[in-house]
Amino acid sequence: MKKRFLLVVFLFLMIEIVGCSKSPEQKINDLYKRGLSYIQSYNYDAADTAFNKIENIDPQSPWGLYGAGLVFENKLQYYDALAIYLTLNKAQPSFAPAFAGAYRIYTHLGYHQYARHAAGTYHKLAKDSLRAQILLAKALFNSGEYIASRKELTKINAPSSADKKIINMISAQTYLMEGKIDSAQNMVNNIMTAPAQTSEFYLEAANYFEKAGFIDSAMVLSKISTTIKNTHFNPVIQHFYRALRNKYFYEARVIIKNLKKQKANQTLLAGMDIEYNLALNNRRKLNDLGSLYEAKYSQTLSAIIYQIKCSGAVDDLLTIGQDINTLEAILKRSNYEPEFVDFFNLEAALLFDHYEQSTRSLDKLQSIAGILSNNKNLKLHIALTSYIVGNFKEALDMLKLYTKYHRYQPDWLTGIGDVYSHQGLKKYDLAEASYQNALKVNKWYRPAFEHYVKMFEKQKKFKKALAVFDSYPHFEKNNPVIKLLKSKILIENNNLTEGFDLFKNNIKKVKENISLYTDLISLLNKKNQPDKKEQVAEMLTNNCPQNVDALIYLAEYKGDNNGYRASLAFAQQAEKIEPDNPDALALKARALYYLGEKPKAFKLFETINKTYPNNAKNLYYYSRLLAKDKTEFNKASNLARGAVFNSYGDPDCVLNLSYVYYQMGRYKLSRGEATKARNVQRNNPLPYFRIGLASYKLGDKKDAQKNLNKAIRLGLRGKDLKTAREILKQL
């Protein structure tokens, strides 16, 4: 036993001696690699410890600070990461990786010109590096310089067939964006016969199919990229953002759930939760998430930006103003590099103006000086907000000047068109001219085309929107996303068969975007097309059998149309996949109620309410069915008010409160709530119906007659239509 102990001690000492014999450079290299492995396993605290040890060994080594930047970046604390990368760019200008880091952050934040500059410097410092060459080509691509990007790609002597396939896939994207569809597709077809088994390759393949509008294919390829180990970026996070961009919200939730199972870092999960709910515009959750994140990670700049975005989502301008002042105070007393301070001030000013658009936010915009004062977004924000606060001539003069000096830049011309078409200006003729000019410069510039179409769609000028498709037919030729946009406008314009067929033929290529189905069902309901509505519901059922969001929608849809057994089946299927989903449980309770199991239904409603007291759907149905049974009116009204509060005044929840008050005999309150709903839903027959009912009970026959007739003209249907006609006969 003693000999074994001595042997262990001897081996331990030998390991220590060998470790001590390593040079500082070897130790730093080992610690850096160890830190990277910790990042890959989402153990960011251990990674930070490893990188801190590098700084203890050699305070002048850039690797420890760069590693700290990587940790921030992987925790989605992008501004803190950028601060480190820019510090290294200044302090150690020959340290190439920090320029690659700045490129990644600028690209993520949408500052492609700044990313291009960082990529150019990285390329100069590491021009023999394959990554540096590809990075520069991608930076040029993101800046819209497709020929230059392809030229850089042709210079690369790829060391392996896998690298060659990555390069070719990026080249295919340049051809695609130039409208050389056949060249792009031929390249992709050849490459995909034997795809390279690297995460970079599948990422670029996903990028290609996403740009081509084949979103389902893009998501499949993107998911494959997450299964292959990669040390240069996190494919899981790339996949997550792709899911959010394309409204594949259930897939985004699955990613978060899987990371929780892997016990991923809590900071990362908190950031992803905010990003998810921002994309979903879940105002109830965002109201809490921002303040919780800022309280926990108050030492980071990114926390304040997250809080501003969350406050903006719930229209909390007071908190936004306070956070902007906090940021300014932090930057004044900090030791950040001036380049970072200037950039961060620009970001904060743009964010503040996005939510406020006032003289205060205009002052912040106009305080941006130096080279950043020429930023396109800054210039356009200043023009728009100047007009909104009453500086009409000055704003219009700015826009004329920008049109003159940027007449060959489609991104500028599109941005100018967006300002003209803003509801604050409504100068649609000038907007149309700007979009047309952008498309003259580059007939394949998709943002100009889409914004041009959507301008008319918002005005409900559907014939004009379709005329834009006729003028630029090449956009819809090969792109399912654009075809689906056209299908909706065709149906709005009463070209029902053509629009419906176009939807049916393309939806499978974007099949997990549930909003495409739900929006079309709402539109078909407005057009009184019950058969086509059912067909869309059937498509959703067949295309998304394991998508919880689809199942929840179908459960609600079937229940709304008295198909409670089908509703129960869909709700139970959703519950099986996501047992903790309160919406699925609430719809299950509603179905049970209508299937005659009232005690079981109310018990489930109560259980959900205790576990998820802020869930608007449960509050809505629980209150409604209590009121329907004319029992526990006080509880019903409290629950209904809770639904309104937690949905941030959703018109359906407001109408539900009107219904509850009506059942209670509180007709003035009922009419008041219905009037609130009508003020935000002028073309919905239900608010007018509820106003008419309440007015009838109050003895206001003239008002009842006016509103009930209006409800019928707007398309009131079913039992409500029958009730309205019976009352009108009595009047």
Side-chain angles (χ1 to χ4, degrees):
M1 185 72 179
K2 187 176 181 181
K3 286 182 179 179
R4 186 179 296 171
F5 173 74
L6 290 172
L7 179 62
V8 170
V9 171
F10 173 74
L11 289 171
F12 176 76
L13 290 171
M14 287 302 294
I15 290 167
E16 287 293 299
I17 290 167
V18 172
C20 292
S21 68
K22 288 183 178 180
S23 69
E25 290 78 12
Q26 287 175 313
K27 289 179 182 177
I28 287 171
N29 187 50
D30 289 348
L31 284 167
Y32 181 71
K33 287 181 178 177
R34 192 184 308 168
L36 286 182
S37 69
Y38 285 134
I39 285 176
Q40 288 299 306
S41 59
Y42 305 104
N43 190 349
Y44 300 139
D45 293 338
D48 263 330
T49 301
F51 295 135
N52 283 334
K53 286 180 180 178
I54 293 175
E55 294 193 62
N56 293 336
I57 293 169
D58 180 4
Q60 299 304 310
S61 170
W63 290 104
L65 189 56
Y66 178 68
L70 288 176
V71 171
F72 277 127
E73 184 178 348
N74 279 271
K75 289 195 290 189
L76 312 191
Q77 294 177 326
Y78 296 112
Y79 297 96
D80 302 274
L82 183 62
I84 287 175
Y85 297 147
L86 294 184
T87 296
L88 284 169
N89 291 168
K90 182 72 173 178
Q92 303 214 29
S94 62
F95 183 66
F99 288 96
Y103 161 83
R104 290 193 302 272
I105 303 300
Y106 281 137
T107 298
H108 174 76
L109 297 175
Y111 288 84
H112 296 303
Q113 290 301 320
Y114 307 151
R116 178 188 166 187
H117 175 74
T121 306
Y122 179 54
H123 183 260
K124 286 177 186 176
L125 294 170
K127 55 183 161 186
D128 294 331
S129 158
L130 175 67
R131 286 189 62 219
Q133 292 172 302
I134 289 177
L135 209 85
L136 178 59
K138 284 177 65 66
L140 290 165
F141 176 87
N142 291 332
S143 298
E145 299 178 57
Y146 306 124
I147 295 173
S149 175
R150 201 159 53 244
K151 186 177 178 182
E152 286 299 322
L153 292 168
T154 60
K155 296 177 185 177
I156 301 173
N157 185 17
S160 70
S161 63
D163 294 325
K164 182 66 176 174
K165 286 175 180 176
I166 293 169
I167 291 163
N168 286 342
M169 190 59 82
I170 300 170
S171 291
Q173 292 175 57
T174 67
Y175 284 121
L176 177 71
M177 299 307 287
E178 289 180 314
K180 298 173 181 176
I181 308 298
D182 291 341
S183 298
Q185 198 56 55
N186 287 337
M187 287 187 78
V188 171
N189 290 342
N190 290 332
I191 299 166
M192 293 306 291
T193 55
Q197 295 307 306
T198 68
S199 55
E200 289 97 334
F201 172 79
Y202 280 103
L203 172 73
E204 293 304 338
N207 288 343
Y208 175 88
F209 282 97
E210 183 179 4
K211 289 177 177 68
F214 292 84
I215 306 304
D216 221 59
S217 298
M219 291 300 297
V220 169
L221 293 163
S222 181
K223 194 165 188 175
I224 294 172
S225 79
T226 70
T227 66
I228 304 170
K229 192 173 181 181
N230 185 297
T231 57
H232 301 313
F233 62 91
N234 190 336
V236 174
I237 299 304
Q238 301 273 354
H239 184 51
F240 174 71
Y241 281 118
R242 197 185 308 276
L244 295 185
R245 274 198 306 275
N246 294 290
K247 298 185 179 181
Y248 277 45
F249 293 121
Y250 175 61
E251 177 65 17
R253 265 202 327 280
V254 169
I255 295 166
I256 294 173
K257 192 174 292 186
N258 288 339
L259 287 174
K260 285 179 179 177
K261 287 179 183 176
Q262 296 174 46
K263 301 190 183 306
N265 181 274
Q266 289 300 310
T267 314
L268 168 65
L269 293 171
M272 291 177 79
D273 201 13
I274 289 177
E275 296 281 17
Y276 170 79
N277 283 287
L278 283 169
L280 200 61
N281 195 29
N282 187 340
R283 302 179 79 198
R284 174 67 265 166
K285 288 203 74 173
L286 290 168
N287 189 50
D288 300 326
L289 287 174
S291 54
L292 288 171
Y293 191 98
E294 187 176 24
K296 195 167 184 179
Y297 308 108
S298 57
Q299 72 278 16
T300 66
L301 293 171
S302 301
I304 304 175
I305 294 295
Y306 277 132
Q307 167 69 339
I308 290 171
K309 289 181 178 180
C310 292
S311 298
V314 298
D315 303 320
D316 184 358
L317 298 181
L318 177 62
T319 299
I320 292 173
Q322 292 169 345
D323 284 328
I324 291 292
N325 292 335
T326 300
L327 282 176
E328 288 179 346
I330 291 171
L331 292 173
K332 281 178 183 175
R333 64 173 185 263
S334 70
N335 294 317
Y336 292 115
E337 279 300 316
E339 182 183 351
F340 174 74
V341 173
D342 291 345
F343 172 77
F344 197 72
N345 278 326
L346 170 64
E347 267 286 80
L350 290 171
L351 201 55
F352 184 37
D353 187 63
H354 173 74
Y355 295 116
E356 182 154 313
Q357 289 187 321
S358 66
T359 53
R360 278 200 314 165
S361 67
L362 183 59
D363 287 343
K364 301 285 186 193
L365 294 171
Q366 292 173 331
S367 71
I368 303 300
I371 193 168
L372 293 182
S373 65
N374 293 317
N375 177 273
K376 170 173 67 72
N377 288 339
L378 176 66
K379 293 281 194 186
L380 295 176
H381 268 259
I382 289 173
L384 174 58
T385 303
S386 293
Y387 194 96
I388 286 171
V389 301
N391 302 329
F392 305 128
K393 184 178 185 305
E394 182 183 343
L396 294 174
D397 286 345
M398 283 185 222
L399 292 170
K400 286 178 185 176
L401 194 65
Y402 301 156
T403 301
K404 178 181 177 182
Y405 286 123
H406 300 284
R407 59 189 178 276
Y408 301 119
Q409 294 171 270
D411 58 334
W412 270 90
L413 293 168
T414 302
I416 293 165
D418 294 343
V419 175
Y420 279 133
S421 66
H422 187 276
Q423 61 180 1
L425 280 76
K426 295 183 180 178
K427 295 190 176 296
Y428 299 119
D429 290 345
L430 292 172
E432 183 172 16
S434 288
Y435 295 138
Q436 287 175 346
N437 287 336
L439 290 163
K440 282 177 187 174
V441 175
N442 179 358
K443 74 172 189 175
W444 284 98
Y445 192 66
R446 183 171 157 184
F449 171 77
E450 289 185 321
H451 295 196
Y452 191 5
V453 169
K454 289 177 181 178
M455 176 183 76
F456 288 128
E457 185 186 16
K458 285 177 186 175
Q459 297 176 71
K460 301 190 182 303
K461 294 182 177 179
F462 303 117
K463 285 184 180 178
K464 286 195 170 186
L466 290 172
V468 178
F469 280 95
D470 292 339
S471 297
Y472 307 97
H474 51 280
F475 280 107
E476 67 172 291
K477 187 177 179 183
N478 297 290
N479 193 305
V481 170
I482 293 177
K483 287 180 180 179
L484 288 166
L485 172 62
K486 185 178 183 181
S487 74
K488 182 185 174 190
I489 294 170
L490 282 166
I491 292 170
E492 286 277 21
N493 197 52
N494 295 317
N495 302 82
L496 295 170
T497 302
E498 184 184 354
F500 190 79
D501 288 345
L502 196 58
F503 180 88
K504 187 167 58 175
N505 293 335
N506 287 278
I507 188 59
K508 281 192 177 181
K509 286 129 184 165
V510 198
K511 67 182 181 186
E512 301 276 339
N513 181 345
I514 308 306
S515 66
L516 292 172
Y517 303 88
T518 60
D519 289 350
L520 183 57
I521 287 173
S522 296
L523 177 56
L524 291 169
N525 184 59
K526 188 173 77 172
K527 298 287 182 181
N528 195 20
Q529 295 290 317
D531 292 342
K532 284 185 167 57
K533 266 190 351 180
E534 281 299 317
Q535 288 181 56
V536 177
E538 191 67 24
M539 289 179 215
L540 180 57
T541 305
N542 294 333
N543 291 344
C544 307
Q546 296 299 311
N547 185 310
V548 170
D549 293 342
L551 295 169
I552 287 172
Y553 176 80
L554 289 164
E556 191 154 32
Y557 171 79
K558 292 296 183 182
D560 290 347
N561 291 279
N562 301 316
Y564 294 110
R565 292 209 177 278
S567 176
L568 180 61
F570 282 122
Q572 288 175 326
Q573 196 176 345
E575 181 191 7
K576 187 176 179 181
I577 300 169
E578 245 180 28
D580 57 348
N581 192 306
D583 287 358
L585 296 172
L587 290 163
K588 176 183 175 181
R590 178 178 77 153
L592 288 170
Y593 173 94
Y594 283 104
L595 291 170
E597 298 189 58
K598 289 186 181 182
K600 194 173 178 180
F602 283 122
K603 184 179 179 181
L604 180 54
F605 277 132
E606 188 60 28
T607 300
I608 302 165
N609 195 44
K610 286 177 180 175
T611 311
Y612 306 99
N614 298 324
N615 182 262
K617 199 174 289 293
N618 189 65
L619 292 166
Y620 176 98
Y621 285 118
Y622 194 4
S623 63
R624 193 171 192 86
L625 296 178
L626 284 173
K628 183 176 185 298
D629 280 2
K630 298 191 175 181
T631 58
E632 298 188 71
F633 275 137
N634 286 338
K635 184 171 187 175
S637 60
N638 287 334
L639 292 168
R641 283 190 291 270
V644 173
F645 176 78
N646 286 290
S647 67
Y648 279 82
D650 177 81
D652 289 340
C653 291
V654 173
L655 279 175
N656 178 62
L657 181 56
S658 172
Y659 169 80
V660 171
Y661 282 144
Y662 184 87
Q663 292 294 98
M664 294 169 71
R666 303 180 73 178
Y667 303 121
K668 283 187 179 179
L669 289 175
S670 177
R671 184 163 65 176
E673 295 301 322
T675 301
K676 291 177 189 175
R678 181 204 62 193
N679 291 341
V680 294
Q681 287 193 333
R682 293 281 179 181
N683 295 314
N684 182 353
L686 292 177
Y688 297 96
F689 173 66
R690 299 237 63 89
I691 292 169
L693 287 184
S695 294
Y696 173 70
K697 289 291 187 180
L698 290 166
D700 190 343
K701 294 182 179 181
K702 187 176 179 181
D703 192 66
Q705 191 173 44
K706 180 182 77 173
N707 281 284
L708 291 174
N709 279 320
K710 176 82 171 181
I712 292 170
R713 285 199 304 275
L714 287 171
L716 192 68
R717 296 191 185 93
K719 290 181 181 179
D720 292 341
L721 176 60
K722 184 179 178 182
T723 301
R725 283 174 171 163
E726 287 173 354
I727 292 172
L728 286 169
K729 282 180 184 177
Q730 296 175 36
L731 295 173

